[in-house]
Amino acid sequence: MSTSLLLVTLFFLSTAISSSTSPNHFIVKLIHRDSPRSPLYNPQATATDRLNAAFLRSISRSHRFNHQPQADLQSGLIGAGGEFFMSITIGTPPTNVLAIADTGSDLTWVQCKPCQECYKENGPIFDKNKSSTYKNEPCDSRHCNALSTTERGCDESNNVCKYRYSYGDQSFTKGDVATETISIGTASGSPVSFPGTVFGCGYNNGGTFDETGSGIIGLGGGQLSLVSQLGSSISKRFSYCLSHKSSTMNGTSVINLGTNSIPSGTSKDSSVLSTPLVDKKPQTYYYLALEAISVGKTKIPYTGSYGTSSATTKGNIIIDSGTTLTLLDSGFYDGFGAAVEESVTGAKRVSDPQGLLSHCFKSGNAEIGLPEITMHFTGADVKLSPLNAFVKVSEDMVCMSMIPTTEVAIYGNFAQMDFLVGYDLETRRVSTNGLLCWFGTLNGYRLRFILSIIINII
């Protein structure tokens, strides 16, 4: 178990697209941020350092989901804490862009020349004046009006729509709303282009953004996100499979976009589980209905309800690939934590030395017995392995990777590890299947992808 449970900050290294049987299907491979293969790899950082950094980002990121309509948008993750990076090209001729891919943001934005204020970036900054396909959006366009009143502005003298985003760590971006050609590389080496994609051309950006990244790629549920704009091109479907082994080993994590990205079959005998996406504002976030959590055979009704006083409200938890920990309503967590503590064997409860995690257990020389945790979403009972619910912080100590919150509940990516998690934005459902990730990239459902494309396995 050791360091395979390190934070799951990843970046998209390369892309592939099927060329014949499934032209609307893309596969993007991921490399763990802390893998020696990552350009962000820091050999001086310890496993504890990386875990604590991931946990702090989870806590900071959770504040972004506490939507306040009267304030500037607090969407996305903190500037320096991106959990994924995605590689694309933008413009004509194309400029390579490596940006944070975020399921908690909609509008894609990148740094643009000429800059008023741009943070230091290792790669080239996109120059709109050198692209023949760049086009500003007018103030009265539907794309401009898709931004909230706190997010948009207008340069009336030039009739150019403006955007402005602020983040919880005081990072910010401001710029022009425009359309441009965004391209994704294929297995044959010829990129597939998506002309007229709406994005933010950020000429005033600052804060704690990582020098590796150019900006943010929005994968949220709103109409300006990249997945929403690609729409029929990817059949309004995408999925991801995050591997525990990708932090220090050759485990491969991927995001799939397109027709075949989600497995079919949710019958009684199928291993595919499915739960409805709950329509709720803001549309950026992916809301689910969590009905209960079981600790072993003890089923505890979930009493948290973000945004209302009703304990049975649907849409009481957000599923998010960019948050490491799972955050549960503090009113529910007391009883849940007590049930977990009662079920752990071979260890006694201790405090987390870093003060970040709520329930930790130290074994001494004994083997720790951990209970099975089952998340009961509407229509889907997802059984978590110990790797999904607990994290090893030292040789003789494990902590639950679920913490209490007084804000919105979040189903984080530790809980989603080694599951194929699919989003069907047409039928408004999220599906999950543990077997499809467990068998890896050369078995079962994923084998059908390999037969139709050429893909280099990391």
Side-chain angles (χ1 to χ4, degrees), residues 35 60 72 111 162 166 178 352 354 363 426 436:
S35 166
S60 296
D72 276 359
Q111 293 207 108
K162 303 285 185 178
S166 61
D352 175 15
Q354 303 299 322
S363 64
E426 182 69 34
L436 300 184

Side-chain angles (χ1 to χ4, degrees), residues 116-303:
Q116 287 184 5
E117 177 185 352
C118 288
Y119 59 86
K120 182 181 178 182
E121 182 180 331
N122 292 338
I125 296 179
F126 173 67
D127 190 339
K128 66 179 183 180
N129 293 328
K130 293 183 178 180
S131 174
S132 62
T133 48
Y134 179 90
K135 184 179 179 181
N136 284 320
E137 279 287 296
C139 298
D140 59 353
S141 71
R142 65 182 179 89
H143 295 135
C144 188
N145 289 324
L147 295 167
S148 73
T149 55
T150 59
E151 299 166 13
R152 71 174 183 262
C154 178
D155 177 357
E156 295 182 357
S157 60
N158 295 303
N159 191 26
V160 175
C161 179
K162 303 285 185 178
Y163 80 93
R164 54 182 180 268
Y165 282 177
S166 61
Y167 298 84
D169 62 350
Q170 308 307 311
S171 297
F172 62 89
T173 176
K174 299 176 183 178
D176 298 334
V177 178
T179 58
E180 187 51 284
T181 297
I182 289 178
S183 302
I184 302 176
T186 71
S188 65
S190 301
V192 173
S193 298
F194 299 94
T197 302
V198 180
F199 82 112
C201 186
Y203 54 76
N204 190 350
N205 322 294
T208 60
F209 295 108
D210 197 299
E211 294 178 7
T212 304
S214 301
I216 286 180
I217 296 176
L219 300 176
Q223 60 179 294
L224 291 182
S225 77
L226 183 62
V227 290
S228 294
Q229 289 190 68
L230 294 184
S232 59
S233 298
I234 59 170
S235 302
K236 297 185 178 181
R237 293 180 174 186
F238 72 97
S239 65
Y240 50 76
C241 178
L242 306 177
S243 170
H244 270 117
K245 296 180 180 180
S246 61
S247 61
T248 58
M249 303 169 66
N250 287 340
T252 300
S253 298
V254 298
I255 283 186
N256 310 286
L257 301 111
T259 306
N260 294 328
S261 62
I262 299 176
S264 60
T266 54
S267 67
K268 201 169 185 180
D269 298 326
S270 172
S271 59
V272 179
L273 303 174
S274 176
T275 187
L277 277 168
V278 178
D279 293 328
K280 192 172 181 179
K281 292 185 178 180
Q283 294 179 330
T284 303
Y285 309 138
Y286 297 109
Y287 295 93
L288 305 178
L290 179 63
E291 297 178 349
I293 302 179
S294 288
V295 180
K297 295 182 179 180
T298 303
K299 189 173 184 178
I300 309 168
Y302 187 70
T303 54

Side-chain angles (χ1 to χ4, degrees), residues 246-398:
S246 61
S247 61
T248 58
M249 303 169 66
N250 287 340
T252 300
S253 298
V254 298
I255 283 186
N256 310 286
L257 301 111
T259 306
N260 294 328
S261 62
I262 299 176
S264 60
T266 54
S267 67
K268 201 169 185 180
D269 298 326
S270 172
S271 59
V272 179
L273 303 174
S274 176
T275 187
L277 277 168
V278 178
D279 293 328
K280 192 172 181 179
K281 292 185 178 180
Q283 294 179 330
T284 303
Y285 309 138
Y286 297 109
Y287 295 93
L288 305 178
L290 179 63
E291 297 178 349
I293 302 179
S294 288
V295 180
K297 295 182 179 180
T298 303
K299 189 173 184 178
I300 309 168
Y302 187 70
T303 54
S305 55
Y306 170 60
T308 80
S309 59
S310 172
T312 59
T313 301
K314 294 182 178 180
N316 54 11
I317 191 167
I318 292 170
I319 181 171
D320 180 46
S321 64
T323 304
T324 302
L325 299 173
T326 290
L327 288 81
L328 301 172
D329 184 88
S330 57
F332 164 84
Y333 193 89
D334 290 343
F336 169 65
V340 171
E341 182 177 356
E342 194 173 299
S343 301
V344 171
T345 60
K348 63 178 181 178
R349 185 177 172 185
V350 295
S351 298
D352 175 15
Q354 303 299 322
L356 298 175
L357 303 178
S358 177
H359 282 63
C360 296
F361 304 93
K362 194 166 186 177
S363 64
N365 296 323
E367 182 177 347
I368 302 178
L370 300 173
E372 181 179 75
I373 307 294
T374 303
M375 309 292 290
H376 300 282
F377 299 101
T378 299
D381 299 331
V382 181
K383 294 182 179 180
L384 304 181
S385 75
L387 294 175
N388 297 120
F390 297 87
V391 57
K392 188 174 183 178
V393 296
S394 68
E395 285 304 313
D396 61 351
M397 184 188 299
V398 299

